[in-house]
Amino acid sequence: MFQSFDTHASPAQGPARLAALRHILAAEGLSGFLIPRADVHQGEYVAARDERLQWLTGFTGSAGFCIVLPNIAGVFIDGRYRTQVKGQVDLVHFTPVPWPEISAGAWLKDHITEGVVGFDPWLHTADEIARIETALAGTGVTLQPCANQIDKIWPDQPSAPVGKAFAHPDSLAGEASTEKRSRLAETLRAQGQSAAVITLPDSLCWLLNIRGADVPRNPILHGFAILYENAHVTLFADASKFEDATRAHLGDEVLLRPISAFVPALRTLQGAVRVDRGTAPLAVSTELTEAAITVAWGDDPCRLPKAKKTSAEIEGMREAHLRDGAAVVEFLCWLDQRTPQGGLSEIDVVRALEGFRRATNVLHDISFDTISGSGPNGAIMHYRVTNESNRTIGRNELLLVDSGAQYLDGTTDITRTIAVGDPGDYARTCFTRVLQGTIAISRARWPKGYTGRDLDPLARYALWLAGQDFNHGTGHGVGAFLSVHEGPQRLSRISEVPLESGMILSNEPGYYREGEFGIRLENLIVVQPAPNLPGGDGERSQLNFETLTFVPFDRRLVLTAMLAPGERDWLNAYHAEVLAKLSSRLSAEALAWCQSACTPL
């Protein structure tokens, strides 16, 4: 299997490691140290050697950080992890801090009056450090770049990953690397910039039409790149990852050099060099500045073009989702047959679902560890089942399954919440409100220029009317056979990036009652031009969403009387489309199940 169920960290290990860290900080003359969940590439997904936050605290979430001071260690977690963190850290020695409601700078001001707090400049962006320094202005507390203090006390830290790189066909990318590089180089020249530094692994993979195997679940390569104004690129990566065919794919305009050559190369650049202050490590701009090279702050040039998928990428995603949808329907058919017998565990669910995806014979990997949360575990938003946490699915409760797959032609991410027995009318009421949010986003039309922040309330309105909400964004960007979480687009109250045609996002409202159940419903959607409507204002360009995911919602959890006619019509039309698109891909048994699941309300 791709997914394992081992426990990667334990709260019991935290206190001794925290004591060791404090000892070395005192010896270094430091009053504190910042420990982010980040690597030198600033991607969301990190290799085992970079799981410093997890190693120190026991917290396994995909976002957060820790600040260690002499008398307190704060673990900063967003709304997705506030239930999870309580069971993963030693609450006597580590204090959960709600973030971003409480910022790092504000927290430091409240807990320390003077001293030097260290940080690894390769693990923080210029933006991050500037925000903290601004908050600390006028205090006796200063930040100081230094060597990574965790690495000094981690005796069995894993080695750097050495996964092989491989070519991603131009036919799936929809644009050759030479064309991408020429297009971006033209923007550099237009802005008077001689080069751009690229640190995000998915950006360099997209730019060069390559993929890698350095991080589980995400086909990315660890490395850095410099894109020059003449469209040439120097790629800094481990040469052992590149076989002859992949080197040939890169072409003569891409120079492969070792990562150790990256900093010296930075210091030889001339002219203004673009650096993304929100994604590049602070060390990059520091090295340039110390070499008297002009830093031109600007967005990673790959991020927005990468987000706006080509027609070939969108077509690949459509096919991947139909293939994956059929596998998920086969799984749901199996699940409905199996749950009445009792005794089914959360791990059994994960294994079965991966098995149905493997049966496609083209599964490259899962796109993240499957979330299989039954009853109270469903309320842990990013729950990862382990051998220790695994529970038997009870009768008359909800099962939340959030999963996805990586295929060469696309990345999938889907969540369905399933009734096991009769979970009761309160659960149905909450489910229906979440479904209303899913439908509202799916039906949305909006003028060009609107952002994810503008649309996010649509997913929450039905919940808000009932005094309910969910502590995560409504949707994240998704890559095309790349990272399942991809920026800069989001459906979120903090997103200010305008939505543009070709952007793929998730649509995943939810509701969670700690200790009882969790509900989340997720489809992937792609932004497209909206057709003109009769009687509409024709000169106003609008956008809407095309749905990519086709799997039935559990009708047993829908209270039809709560749905407005338009909502009911959308759901019936969606289910009719599920049946039309998947029928030829299903086994006879799964087809019969799907026909029943898609019966109109």
Side-chain angles (χ1 to χ4, degrees):
M1 286 194 69
F2 288 117
Q3 186 161 336
S4 75
F5 307 100
D6 299 330
T7 301
H8 297 315
S10 166
Q13 298 168 318
R17 293 171 177 176
L18 181 60
L21 177 59
R22 284 178 168 146
H23 178 77
I24 198 170
L25 292 180
E28 294 287 334
L30 295 172
S31 301
F33 189 67
L34 310 182
I35 304 100
R37 189 190 183 274
D39 60 15
V40 298
H41 308 289
Q42 293 298 314
E44 179 180 348
Y45 301 96
V46 301
R49 73 166 284 103
D50 298 307
E51 291 279 13
R52 297 175 181 90
L53 179 64
Q54 176 181 294
W55 181 84
L56 177 67
T57 67
F59 173 63
T60 64
S62 65
F65 58 95
C66 180
I67 303 179
V68 172
L69 299 177
N71 299 312
I72 189 171
V75 180
F76 292 70
I77 35 82
D78 64 32
R80 295 171 294 174
Y81 297 111
R82 289 174 190 167
T83 299
Q84 176 177 327
V85 72
K86 296 174 187 177
Q88 290 193 320
V89 307
D90 185 317
L91 295 175
V92 174
H93 293 83
F94 294 96
T95 302
V97 180
W99 168 71
E101 294 89 335
I102 298 177
S103 68
W107 187 86
L108 280 168
K109 286 178 67 174
D110 286 344
H111 291 91
I112 185 173
T113 57
E114 61 180 3
V116 177
V117 176
F119 69 95
D120 183 340
W122 284 99
L123 301 186
H124 298 269
T125 67
D127 262 355
E128 287 180 87
I129 298 305
R131 283 194 297 269
I132 299 174
E133 289 180 330
T134 298
L136 295 176
T139 73
V141 183
T142 58
L143 297 186
Q144 176 177 298
C146 63
N148 196 291
Q149 304 298 302
I150 296 293
D151 294 356
K152 295 179 179 179
I153 62 171
W154 190 352
D156 55 349
Q157 186 176 21
S159 301
V162 291
K164 293 292 186 183
F166 57 98
H168 183 59
D170 293 354
S171 59
L172 292 177
E175 186 179 18
S177 173
T178 53
E179 297 169 346
K180 294 178 180 179
R181 289 186 276 113
S182 295
R183 183 157 53 97
L184 299 191
E186 185 177 347
T187 67
L188 296 181
R189 293 192 300 270
Q191 297 183 32
Q193 297 165 355
S194 64
V197 179
I198 298 169
T199 61
L200 290 172
D202 56 339
S203 286
L204 69 87
C205 285
W206 173 85
L207 179 64
L208 300 176
N209 281 355
I210 57 174
R211 298 294 187 264
D214 284 336
V215 174
R217 317 293 173 250
N218 294 274
I220 58 173
L221 169 77
H222 276 167
F224 300 104
I226 299 174
L227 169 65
Y228 298 93
E229 61 180 334
N230 65 357
H232 288 209
V233 165
T234 301
L235 172 62
F236 302 89
D238 185 344
S240 68
K241 298 177 181 179
F242 291 81
E243 296 179 343
D244 290 346
T246 311
R247 283 179 178 254
H249 171 79
L250 291 175
D252 295 336
E253 295 179 351
V254 178
L255 175 64
L256 179 62
R257 299 190 65 195
I259 287 182
S260 60
F262 177 55
V263 169
L266 289 176
R267 289 179 165 268
T268 64
L269 295 174
Q270 297 179 346
V273 177
R274 183 191 290 202
V275 179
D276 189 331
R277 66 181 300 132
T279 64
L282 174 63
V284 169
S285 54
T286 300
E287 294 288 348
L288 292 170
T289 300
E290 290 179 353
I293 298 165
T294 300
V295 174
W297 297 116
D299 291 341
D300 174 337
C302 301
R303 292 193 85 198
L304 190 56
K306 170 169 53 70
K308 298 188 306 187
K309 304 296 182 285
T310 65
S311 58
E313 287 175 317
I314 294 172
E315 189 54 41
M317 290 287 276
R318 290 186 184 115
E319 175 59 26
H321 278 79
L322 294 178
R323 180 189 310 120
D324 196 63
V328 174
V329 168
E330 295 281 355
F331 157 74
L332 291 173
C333 172
W334 169 87
L335 185 67
D336 266 7
Q337 293 172 342
R338 184 65 180 76
T339 49
Q341 303 171 29
L344 193 68
S345 75
E346 293 169 336
I347 288 179
D348 293 333
V349 167
V350 175
R351 286 178 170 149
L353 180 51
E354 185 171 318
F356 285 110
R357 286 190 164 115
R358 283 183 174 276
T360 65
N361 296 317
V362 290
L363 180 67
H364 180 83
D365 199 342
I366 52 177
S367 55
F368 55 95
D369 281 349
T370 297
I371 298 169
S372 170
S374 61
N377 285 346
I380 304 172
M381 296 175 200
H382 280 211
Y383 171 67
R384 176 184 173 272
V385 59
T386 66
N387 291 313
E388 288 74 23
S389 70
N390 186 35
R391 73 186 289 270
T392 300
I393 301 168
R395 296 187 182 278
N396 303 325
E397 65 182 20
L398 297 178
L399 171 66
L400 188 157
V401 181
D402 186 350
S403 68
Q406 294 282 11
Y407 303 102
L408 295 181
D409 52 1
T411 300
T412 72
D413 185 359
I414 173 176
T415 309
R416 289 295 183 265
T417 302
I418 303 132
V420 179
D422 181 3
D425 278 347
Y426 181 71
R428 290 189 181 88
T429 300
C430 295
F431 179 96
T432 305
R433 291 185 186 124
V434 174
L435 177 62
Q436 287 175 304
T438 301
I439 294 171
I441 293 293
S442 302
R443 297 174 67 195
R445 288 176 62 103
W446 66 95
K448 283 186 176 180
Y450 278 36
T451 71
R453 179 185 60 191
D454 299 318
L455 270 62
D456 180 79
L458 298 177
R460 303 174 189 270
Y461 181 66
L463 290 164
W464 285 350
L465 289 177
Q468 299 173 330
D469 204 350
F470 52 95
N471 291 330
H472 57 75
T474 296
H476 54 82
V478 180
F481 189 47
L482 267 176
S483 298
V484 72
H485 287 179
E486 176 184 276
Q489 76 276 22
R490 288 191 289 177
L491 293 175
S492 165
R493 65 189 72 179
I494 62 172
S495 176
E496 297 182 352
V497 176
L499 297 175
E500 298 188 48
S501 185
M503 288 180 169
I504 296 175
L505 304 105
S506 65
N507 171 14
E508 51 178 310
Y511 181 65
Y512 311 88
R513 289 187 70 84
E514 186 173 348
E516 296 184 37
F517 62 76
I519 298 166
R520 187 161 62 250
L521 301 173
E522 178 183 19
N523 284 344
L524 295 194
I525 50 182
V526 59
V527 181
Q528 62 181 3
N532 291 330
L533 296 176
D537 207 350
E539 71 272 11
R540 297 183 185 274
S541 296
Q542 290 190 311
L543 300 169
N544 65 3
F545 292 120
E546 172 193 341
T547 296
L548 296 173
T549 307
F550 291 98
V551 171
F553 295 101
D554 195 336
R555 293 171 66 261
R556 297 167 297 188
L557 290 170
V558 180
L559 294 179
T560 308
M562 289 179 60
L563 298 180
E567 293 171 332
R568 184 190 62 234
D569 292 346
W570 182 92
L571 185 60
N572 285 338
Y574 174 76
H575 280 158
E577 196 169 3
V578 169
L579 197 57
K581 289 181 178 292
L582 297 188
S583 291
S584 63
R585 298 170 181 261
L586 299 173
S587 66
E589 194 172 36
L591 176 58
W593 179 90
C594 192
Q595 288 169 333
S596 175
C598 291
T599 302
L601 294 176

